Amino acid sequence: MKLLLVLVSLLYYAAVNAQLSGRVGPTTTRRASKQGTVCNVLKYGGVASKTSDVGPAIASAFAACKNGGTVYVPPGEYGMSTWVSLSGGKGWAMQLDGIIYRTGSQNGNMIYIEKTSDFELYSSTSRGAIQGYGYEFHKDGKYGARIMRLSHVTDFSIHDIALVDAPQFHLTLDQCTNGELYNTVIRGGSEGGLDGVDVSGSNIWIHDVEVSNRDECITIKNTANHMLIENIYCNWSGGCAMGSLGLDIDIHHIVYNNIYTVNSNQMFMIKSNGGNGTVHDCSFTNFVGRKNAYTLDIDGHWTQLKLQPGNGVLYRDLTFQNWTATCSDGSRRAPINVVCPDGQPCYNIHIDNVNVWTESGNREYYKCANAYGSGACLKAAPGSGGANYPSYAASTVTLNATPPEMERANVEGNRAGFKTPPTMAADLTSLQLSESIPIPTVPTSFFPGATPYSTLLGH
Ligand SMILES: *[C@@H]1O[C@H](CO)[C@@H](O)[C@H](O)[C@H]1NC(C)=O
Ligand SMILES: *[C@@H]1O[C@H](CO)[C@@H](O)[C@H](O)[C@H]1NC(C)=O
Ligand SMILES: *[C@@H]1O[C@H](CO)[C@@H](O)[C@H](O)[C@H]1NC(C)=O
């Protein structure tokens, strides 16, 4: 029995790791890239002062160190009013031990890194940060620059930093490959358009990351495959998602595991409106949530996105397993909502041991349309004979019970699993828009009971 358990857990572990299609991270070690040239921004015209402009110094240091060196921003405070575009190079690092404060007001990306490989961005003290002072825009209902965007970067890692109060998005990984993002905290203002992490590309491991904002936590954009997203703390955020998805969608082999979501818009949402292409072979396991507006939501009629041409994005072979959560009002928004496109019913959707109860009231409902598989209100596959799945209108299942009664009633076969979800020590007060957001320290746990895969460099 014990051996069997060990085997089962080994198999499970192997399966999770098999999620990635190969190694991730820089191909040379930090030590090796440090042994190359160190280009200290203070030697390239940088001045450690909040009113200085460190942008040109970073660009010059990069030019000198982009092949085998380290661009070094030593501890201290730096202003930044000129944005940098760092293109090309190989085998380099950016060691951000200081804090960069946005002072410029143009749009675009404060730091844009593209077409480079074997790259590492980190803080050796876990204290490096970029403070975007987004509130200076948000208080007037405006947006400004994004903090950081990586495009077509391969074999890279980002870790041990804080990205704070972006005037717009915090971190975008656009068509990157073989990457690792970890031990990072993102803290933004409380409104839409301030995305935490948006990621597309292939073979990326994102783990031990906290996002507080009000928009995307860790969200998959088209196209994407072989992503492993683990130990994520979406704290007063929009929550994790895929989308919005339109034309030529090609997303597959994505695993989200150990996702803690509190006071957010959703625990997981997949959103499209029309469009075409496929999302397939993804799993969403071990989710814990509290007080989220939406919980498990596949919405093929996401009208915030203009209706796209096409019959609808096809969703197939998606598994949701082992969730424990409360939603804020389950009679208002179905905590399990699987509404697939009319022209493209989804199939092999499996919802297993997903336990949600409502914070307010004593009633909640699940809603399914054009959706086949098992669990919640999903319809079983029609007859034999493969993928001929007729559309059907929305049908709902209503649950009337408070949790202790649910445990006895065992509604839907899986209600017995409902337990009050655990909390994290620092579950929030509120987010702000009109005042500066303090730079947080990188936390040392991102999921109840889970230890990060790597210790913080600064510890
Ligand atoms: C999606 O629709 C567009 C526009 O109608 C079409 O050009 C494209 O080939 C379609 N893609 C797929 C994957 O069906
Ligand atoms: C289900 O998730 C919880 C975390 O909420 C975890 O402690 C437990 O081990 C998971 N169960 C399985 C079978 O993975
Ligand atoms: C969660 O967010 C709130 C609001 O910004 C903050 O007060 C709290 O410290 C955050 N928790 C952690 C662990 O950072």
Side-chain angles (χ1 to χ4, degrees), residues 163 169-172 186 194-198 211 213 215-218:
L163 302 178
F169 300 174
H170 291 80
L171 176 63
T172 304
I186 290 176
L194 308 179
D195 298 17
V197 180
D198 290 319
V211 176
N213 52 359
D215 208 320
E216 310 299 342
C217 182
I218 312 286

Side-chain angles (χ1 to χ4, degrees), residues 185 187-188 210 212 233 235-236 262 424-432 437 440-441 443 445:
V185 59
R187 178 78 48 85
E210 184 199 327
S212 317
Y233 187 176
N235 172 18
W236 205 277
V262 60
M424 293 283 278
D427 286 345
L428 43 141
T429 45
S430 68
L431 286 169
Q432 50 218 12
I437 298 175
T441 51
S445 179

